[in-house]
């Protein structure tokens, strides 16, 4: 099972790389703060899939599951705090556009 | 493992991710992200990780979508004039993405890469609860600390907001 899974590793990696590209592109190109967070979420999804795949192939899915659960907890905390920051920025600037953020200074 | 089915699910995942990024409406983007999480859940189930899959479905597809949709509803929508201007601007920035994804995917699939990975011998299957509570106790302490940091962070953010 493991040897067979190892031969299948690369095709799955292609999709993971594609997901990373989508997330990175979204974060780099957008000016909207919420959309940047969505890009970050997509990147985390790619990493989650990669970890689980690595666990499946190495025959240690239980260990990677414990790691992924930790990752999900951290992901939630990061997103909740980031959306709090976004809301406060919107309250002060009446915009989510990063080009209009002028009140961060001082 | 049925690889064809996995490839179909992965293609659906990529399409959902593309739709999430390309769609104009932020609300649709948030819904797309929930869809990506739901599809990822199916993959996690297929890769023998049911507990991680349940976490992904309940927390990422549920809670994070609620957080995003609440944030979007608390911010002001754009006016029609802004929407028209924004649409043209977005199109010039985002239309490259599907092409980049397709080209990179095709190029990588044409490469005949054989990864030389040394797989460690598989251990006797342990229960995930045993691993989480007995072997990875430091992770749990880290999780509790991060949760507390998040709670304090949000509390401070909204306290500052109230003062102003």
């Amino acid at each position: 099972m493991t040897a067979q899974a190892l031969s299948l590793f690369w095709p799955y990696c292609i999709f993971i790389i594609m997901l990373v590209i989508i997330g990175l592109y979204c974060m780099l190109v957008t000016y909207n703060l919420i959309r940047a967070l969505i890009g970050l979420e997509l990147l985390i999804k790619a990493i989650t899939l990669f970890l689980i795949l690595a666990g499946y192939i190495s025959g240690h899915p239980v260990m990677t599951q414990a790691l992924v659960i930790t990752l999900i907890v951290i992901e939630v905390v990061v997103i909740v705090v980031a959306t709090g920051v976004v809301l406060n920025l919107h309250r002060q600037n009446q915009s989510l556009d990063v080009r209009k953020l002028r009140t961060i200074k001082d | 493992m049925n690889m064809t089915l996995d490839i179909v699910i992965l293609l659906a995942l990529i399409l959902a991710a593309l739709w999430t990024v390309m769609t104009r409406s932020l609300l649709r983007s948030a819904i797309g992200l929930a869809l990506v999480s739901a599809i990822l859940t199916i993959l996690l189930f297929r890769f023998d990780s049911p507990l991680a899959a349940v976490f992904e479905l309940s927390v990422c597809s549920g809670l994070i979508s609620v957080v995003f949709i609440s944030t979007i509803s608390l911010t002001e929508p754009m006016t029609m004039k802004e929407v028209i201007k924004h649409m043209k601007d977005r199109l010039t920035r985002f239309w490259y993405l599907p092409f980049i994804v397709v080209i990179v995917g095709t190029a990588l699939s044409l490469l005949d890469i054989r990864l030389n990975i040394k797989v460690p011998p598989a251990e006797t299957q342990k229960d995930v609860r045993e691993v989480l509570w007995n072997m990875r106790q430091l992770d749990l302490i880290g999780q509790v600390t991060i949760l507390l940091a998040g709670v304090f962070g949000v509390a401070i953010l909204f306290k500052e907001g109230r003062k102003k």
Side-chain angles (χ1 to χ4, degrees), chain B residues 114-128:
Chain B
R114 291 176 197 281
L115 298 169
N116 187 21
I117 306 166
K118 283 181 181 160
V119 181
E123 288 175 359
T124 49
Q125 282 293 337
K126 288 175 185 155
D127 189 26
V128 69

Side-chain angles (χ1 to χ4, degrees), chain A residues 61-82:
Chain A
V62 176
M63 293 297 276
T64 48
Q65 268 192 90
L67 194 63
V68 165
I69 289 166
T70 310
L71 176 73
I72 290 171
V73 171
I74 295 168
E75 178 186 346
V76 170
V77 172
V78 167
I79 292 298
V80 168
V81 174

Side-chain angles (χ1 to χ4, degrees), chain A residues 5-58:
Chain A
L6 186 61
S7 68
L8 301 176
F9 189 52
W10 180 242
Y12 292 108
C13 278
I14 295 171
F15 287 97
I16 293 168
I17 293 168
M18 283 158 82
L19 199 57
V20 167
I21 289 171
I22 295 171
L24 267 180
Y25 192 93
C26 180
M27 284 181 79
L28 289 173
V29 170
T30 188
Y31 295 122
N32 189 304
L33 285 167
I34 295 178
R35 210 176 281 277
L37 287 181
I38 288 173
L40 178 72
E41 269 287 305
L42 288 176
L43 274 177
I44 298 173
K45 301 268 175 269
I47 301 303
T48 306
L49 184 56
F50 185 76
L51 283 173
I52 290 293
L53 185 63
Y56 179 76
I57 284 165
S58 64

